[in-house]
Amino acid sequence: MPSALAEALTIEIQGHDNKPGQLHIAVYQVKEALTDQLKWDDLELVHKLTELVDEGQAQQPKVKLIINDLTFGLTCIRVYLDLNNNQTLERSSMGIPLEPVGFSNNPSLFKGEPIPLDSCFLLQQGSNTQNIKLKHHKKRK
């Protein structure tokens, strides 16, 4: 039996602050009950891509990507901008991301990485757009 597929998921990412690097985008789907106990490792990774943000694109206010053929359902997105192109999200000794990060629904990062419950949205038939604002930990002066 074929699964129901969404027409497309459009992801608009802003907040790269004119910095070139590699955007790492991971799209997850929830396959069990969505509770506040659900962790990122409990989700199914359904799409992963890397998009180069070169000097020219870094001058644009946002990066727009379209992903096709995703299954309908509860979906979460995690994004980070790899500024040094080492394929790893740099973190401080306290676990705070040192590179810009973002999540679907743009939850607060005040208490650290949000739980999937705060980042999930319903991917459904028709137009699906997520606007993600990258946030970058500012060093204290």
Side-chain angles (χ1 to χ4, degrees), residues 32-50:
E32 53 192 75
L34 182 61
T35 68
D36 60 357
Q37 301 301 310
L38 194 65
K39 306 291 182 218
W40 287 98
D41 290 341
D42 300 328
L43 304 179
E44 180 182 343
L45 178 64
V46 295
H47 197 86
K48 187 174 184 178
L49 68 133
T50 302

PDB file of all heavy atoms in Angstrom, residues 32-50:
ATOM      1  N   GLU A  32       5.741   7.691  17.250  1.00  0.00           N
ATOM      2  CA  GLU A  32       5.056   7.240  18.458  1.00  0.00           C
ATOM      3  C   GLU A  32       4.302   8.422  19.061  1.00  0.00           C
ATOM      4  O   GLU A  32       4.204   9.463  18.433  1.00  0.00           O
ATOM      5  CB  GLU A  32       6.056   6.643  19.445  1.00  0.00           C
ATOM      6  CG  GLU A  32       7.228   7.556  19.751  1.00  0.00           C
ATOM      7  CD  GLU A  32       8.335   6.844  20.476  1.00  0.00           C
ATOM      8  OE1 GLU A  32       9.068   6.073  19.839  1.00  0.00           O
ATOM      9  OE2 GLU A  32       8.444   7.054  21.701  1.00  0.00           O
ATOM     10  N   ALA A  33       3.800   8.271  20.236  1.00  0.00           N
ATOM     11  CA  ALA A  33       3.037   9.350  20.871  1.00  0.00           C
ATOM     12  C   ALA A  33       3.955  10.540  21.147  1.00  0.00           C
ATOM     13  O   ALA A  33       5.074  10.376  21.631  1.00  0.00           O
ATOM     14  CB  ALA A  33       2.405   8.866  22.167  1.00  0.00           C
ATOM     15  N   LEU A  34       3.477  11.721  20.831  1.00  0.00           N
ATOM     16  CA  LEU A  34       4.236  12.943  21.062  1.00  0.00           C
ATOM     17  C   LEU A  34       3.985  13.422  22.486  1.00  0.00           C
ATOM     18  O   LEU A  34       2.904  13.908  22.813  1.00  0.00           O
ATOM     19  CB  LEU A  34       3.835  14.029  20.052  1.00  0.00           C
ATOM     20  CG  LEU A  34       4.583  15.343  20.150  1.00  0.00           C
ATOM     21  CD1 LEU A  34       6.077  15.146  19.920  1.00  0.00           C
ATOM     22  CD2 LEU A  34       4.029  16.339  19.148  1.00  0.00           C
ATOM     23  N   THR A  35       4.988  13.259  23.345  1.00  0.00           N
ATOM     24  CA  THR A  35       4.897  13.689  24.733  1.00  0.00           C
ATOM     25  C   THR A  35       6.126  14.517  25.069  1.00  0.00           C
ATOM     26  O   THR A  35       7.084  14.574  24.296  1.00  0.00           O
ATOM     27  CB  THR A  35       4.838  12.476  25.692  1.00  0.00           C
ATOM     28  OG1 THR A  35       6.116  11.811  25.652  1.00  0.00           O
ATOM     29  CG2 THR A  35       3.729  11.503  25.308  1.00  0.00           C
ATOM     30  N   ASP A  36       6.128  15.109  26.259  1.00  0.00           N
ATOM     31  CA  ASP A  36       7.293  15.880  26.678  1.00  0.00           C
ATOM     32  C   ASP A  36       8.464  14.978  27.074  1.00  0.00           C
ATOM     33  O   ASP A  36       9.555  15.459  27.344  1.00  0.00           O
ATOM     34  CB  ASP A  36       6.939  16.862  27.793  1.00  0.00           C
ATOM     35  CG  ASP A  36       6.399  16.180  29.038  1.00  0.00           C
ATOM     36  OD1 ASP A  36       6.235  14.941  29.045  1.00  0.00           O
ATOM     37  OD2 ASP A  36       6.138  16.900  30.016  1.00  0.00           O
ATOM     38  N   GLN A  37       8.250  13.663  27.095  1.00  0.00           N
ATOM     39  CA  GLN A  37       9.316  12.703  27.382  1.00  0.00           C
ATOM     40  C   GLN A  37      10.067  12.270  26.125  1.00  0.00           C
ATOM     41  O   GLN A  37      11.126  11.656  26.207  1.00  0.00           O
ATOM     42  CB  GLN A  37       8.739  11.460  28.075  1.00  0.00           C
ATOM     43  CG  GLN A  37       8.030  11.761  29.379  1.00  0.00           C
ATOM     44  CD  GLN A  37       8.932  12.443  30.393  1.00  0.00           C
ATOM     45  OE1 GLN A  37      10.039  11.979  30.646  1.00  0.00           O
ATOM     46  NE2 GLN A  37       8.478  13.551  30.960  1.00  0.00           N
ATOM     47  N   LEU A  38       9.508  12.574  24.944  1.00  0.00           N
ATOM     48  CA  LEU A  38      10.097  12.162  23.677  1.00  0.00           C
ATOM     49  C   LEU A  38      11.388  12.936  23.425  1.00  0.00           C
ATOM     50  O   LEU A  38      11.423  14.157  23.548  1.00  0.00           O
ATOM     51  CB  LEU A  38       9.098  12.397  22.543  1.00  0.00           C
ATOM     52  CG  LEU A  38       9.376  11.735  21.209  1.00  0.00           C
ATOM     53  CD1 LEU A  38       9.304  10.219  21.329  1.00  0.00           C
ATOM     54  CD2 LEU A  38       8.374  12.205  20.173  1.00  0.00           C
ATOM     55  N   LYS A  39      12.459  12.234  23.084  1.00  0.00           N
ATOM     56  CA  LYS A  39      13.766  12.833  22.817  1.00  0.00           C
ATOM     57  C   LYS A  39      14.055  12.807  21.320  1.00  0.00           C
ATOM     58  O   LYS A  39      13.444  12.066  20.566  1.00  0.00           O
ATOM     59  CB  LYS A  39      14.865  12.061  23.563  1.00  0.00           C
ATOM     60  CG  LYS A  39      14.622  11.922  25.049  1.00  0.00           C
ATOM     61  CD  LYS A  39      14.741  13.236  25.748  1.00  0.00           C
ATOM     62  CE  LYS A  39      14.550  13.068  27.245  1.00  0.00           C
ATOM     63  NZ  LYS A  39      13.834  14.133  27.859  1.00  0.00           N
ATOM     64  N   TRP A  40      15.021  13.602  20.887  1.00  0.00           N
ATOM     65  CA  TRP A  40      15.387  13.659  19.471  1.00  0.00           C
ATOM     66  C   TRP A  40      15.824  12.291  18.956  1.00  0.00           C
ATOM     67  O   TRP A  40      15.544  11.933  17.820  1.00  0.00           O
ATOM     68  CB  TRP A  40      16.476  14.713  19.238  1.00  0.00           C
ATOM     69  CG  TRP A  40      15.930  16.100  19.341  1.00  0.00           C
ATOM     70  CD1 TRP A  40      15.974  16.927  20.422  1.00  0.00           C
ATOM     71  CD2 TRP A  40      15.225  16.813  18.330  1.00  0.00           C
ATOM     72  NE1 TRP A  40      15.340  18.109  20.136  1.00  0.00           N
ATOM     73  CE2 TRP A  40      14.875  18.073  18.858  1.00  0.00           C
ATOM     74  CE3 TRP A  40      14.844  16.522  17.022  1.00  0.00           C
ATOM     75  CZ2 TRP A  40      14.182  19.027  18.139  1.00  0.00           C
ATOM     76  CZ3 TRP A  40      14.157  17.476  16.292  1.00  0.00           C
ATOM     77  CH2 TRP A  40      13.833  18.717  16.860  1.00  0.00           C
ATOM     78  N   ASP A  41      16.514  11.513  19.781  1.00  0.00           N
ATOM     79  CA  ASP A  41      16.969  10.180  19.359  1.00  0.00           C
ATOM     80  C   ASP A  41      15.808   9.205  19.141  1.00  0.00           C
ATOM     81  O   ASP A  41      16.001   8.161  18.526  1.00  0.00           O
ATOM     82  CB  ASP A  41      17.940   9.596  20.385  1.00  0.00           C
ATOM     83  CG  ASP A  41      19.279  10.326  20.392  1.00  0.00           C
ATOM     84  OD1 ASP A  41      19.594  11.015  19.390  1.00  0.00           O
ATOM     85  OD2 ASP A  41      20.008  10.222  21.390  1.00  0.00           O
ATOM     86  N   ASP A  42      14.619   9.534  19.660  1.00  0.00           N
ATOM     87  CA  ASP A  42      13.443   8.678  19.493  1.00  0.00           C
ATOM     88  C   ASP A  42      12.765   8.895  18.138  1.00  0.00           C
ATOM     89  O   ASP A  42      11.901   8.123  17.750  1.00  0.00           O
ATOM     90  CB  ASP A  42      12.404   8.941  20.597  1.00  0.00           C
ATOM     91  CG  ASP A  42      12.955   8.667  21.991  1.00  0.00           C
ATOM     92  OD1 ASP A  42      13.812   7.770  22.125  1.00  0.00           O
ATOM     93  OD2 ASP A  42      12.521   9.359  22.936  1.00  0.00           O
ATOM     94  N   LEU A  43      13.134   9.955  17.434  1.00  0.00           N
ATOM     95  CA  LEU A  43      12.498  10.306  16.170  1.00  0.00           C
ATOM     96  C   LEU A  43      13.168   9.582  15.008  1.00  0.00           C
ATOM     97  O   LEU A  43      14.328   9.183  15.095  1.00  0.00           O
ATOM     98  CB  LEU A  43      12.573  11.814  15.936  1.00  0.00           C
ATOM     99  CG  LEU A  43      11.992  12.704  17.036  1.00  0.00           C
ATOM    100  CD1 LEU A  43      12.169  14.167  16.663  1.00  0.00           C
ATOM    101  CD2 LEU A  43      10.538  12.389  17.294  1.00  0.00           C
ATOM    102  N   GLU A  44      12.443   9.465  13.909  1.00  0.00           N
ATOM    103  CA  GLU A  44      12.995   8.847  12.702  1.00  0.00           C
ATOM    104  C   GLU A  44      13.517   9.932  11.775  1.00  0.00           C
ATOM    105  O   GLU A  44      12.765  10.825  11.359  1.00  0.00           O
ATOM    106  CB  GLU A  44      11.918   8.035  11.992  1.00  0.00           C
ATOM    107  CG  GLU A  44      12.414   7.369  10.739  1.00  0.00           C
ATOM    108  CD  GLU A  44      11.340   6.596  10.006  1.00  0.00           C
ATOM    109  OE1 GLU A  44      10.274   6.296  10.597  1.00  0.00           O
ATOM    110  OE2 GLU A  44      11.556   6.295   8.820  1.00  0.00           O
ATOM    111  N   LEU A  45      14.804   9.859  11.452  1.00  0.00           N
ATOM    112  CA  LEU A  45      15.401  10.794  10.503  1.00  0.00           C
ATOM    113  C   LEU A  45      14.912  10.399   9.113  1.00  0.00           C
ATOM    114  O   LEU A  45      15.165   9.293   8.653  1.00  0.00           O
ATOM    115  CB  LEU A  45      16.923  10.733  10.561  1.00  0.00           C
ATOM    116  CG  LEU A  45      17.681  11.622   9.582  1.00  0.00           C
ATOM    117  CD1 LEU A  45      17.419  13.095   9.863  1.00  0.00           C
ATOM    118  CD2 LEU A  45      19.169  11.330   9.640  1.00  0.00           C
ATOM    119  N   VAL A  46      14.167  11.294   8.439  1.00  0.00           N
ATOM    120  CA  VAL A  46      13.588  10.957   7.137  1.00  0.00           C
ATOM    121  C   VAL A  46      14.242  11.715   5.982  1.00  0.00           C
ATOM    122  O   VAL A  46      14.086  11.330   4.832  1.00  0.00           O
ATOM    123  CB  VAL A  46      12.058  11.168   7.106  1.00  0.00           C
ATOM    124  CG1 VAL A  46      11.367  10.201   8.063  1.00  0.00           C
ATOM    125  CG2 VAL A  46      11.678  12.599   7.423  1.00  0.00           C
ATOM    126  N   HIS A  47      14.956  12.780   6.294  1.00  0.00           N
ATOM    127  CA  HIS A  47      15.633  13.524   5.227  1.00  0.00           C
ATOM    128  C   HIS A  47      16.766  14.337   5.851  1.00  0.00           C
ATOM    129  O   HIS A  47      16.585  14.983   6.879  1.00  0.00           O
ATOM    130  CB  HIS A  47      14.656  14.451   4.506  1.00  0.00           C
ATOM    131  CG  HIS A  47      15.152  14.924   3.188  1.00  0.00           C
ATOM    132  ND1 HIS A  47      14.992  14.212   2.034  1.00  0.00           N
ATOM    133  CD2 HIS A  47      15.830  16.039   2.853  1.00  0.00           C
ATOM    134  CE1 HIS A  47      15.543  14.857   1.028  1.00  0.00           C
ATOM    135  NE2 HIS A  47      16.055  15.977   1.500  1.00  0.00           N
ATOM    136  N   LYS A  48      17.913  14.287   5.199  1.00  0.00           N
ATOM    137  CA  LYS A  48      19.068  15.043   5.677  1.00  0.00           C
ATOM    138  C   LYS A  48      19.742  15.660   4.457  1.00  0.00           C
ATOM    139  O   LYS A  48      19.925  14.990   3.445  1.00  0.00           O
ATOM    140  CB  LYS A  48      20.029  14.107   6.402  1.00  0.00           C
ATOM    141  CG  LYS A  48      21.176  14.787   7.085  1.00  0.00           C
ATOM    142  CD  LYS A  48      21.969  13.768   7.875  1.00  0.00           C
ATOM    143  CE  LYS A  48      23.065  14.458   8.653  1.00  0.00           C
ATOM    144  NZ  LYS A  48      23.825  13.510   9.457  1.00  0.00           N
ATOM    145  N   LEU A  49      20.067  16.946   4.547  1.00  0.00           N
ATOM    146  CA  LEU A  49      20.757  17.575   3.439  1.00  0.00           C
ATOM    147  C   LEU A  49      21.681  18.665   3.937  1.00  0.00           C
ATOM    148  O   LEU A  49      21.532  19.165   5.058  1.00  0.00           O
ATOM    149  CB  LEU A  49      19.781  18.128   2.402  1.00  0.00           C
ATOM    150  CG  LEU A  49      18.921  19.316   2.797  1.00  0.00           C
ATOM    151  CD1 LEU A  49      18.973  20.343   1.688  1.00  0.00           C
ATOM    152  CD2 LEU A  49      17.495  18.861   2.984  1.00  0.00           C
ATOM    153  N   THR A  50      22.647  18.976   3.093  1.00  0.00           N
ATOM    154  CA  THR A  50      23.597  20.041   3.366  1.00  0.00           C
ATOM    155  C   THR A  50      23.517  21.032   2.218  1.00  0.00           C
ATOM    156  O   THR A  50      23.534  20.637   1.057  1.00  0.00           O
ATOM    157  CB  THR A  50      25.030  19.477   3.479  1.00  0.00           C
ATOM    158  OG1 THR A  50      25.052  18.498   4.512  1.00  0.00           O
ATOM    159  CG2 THR A  50      26.019  20.571   3.803  1.00  0.00           C
TER     160      THR A  50
END
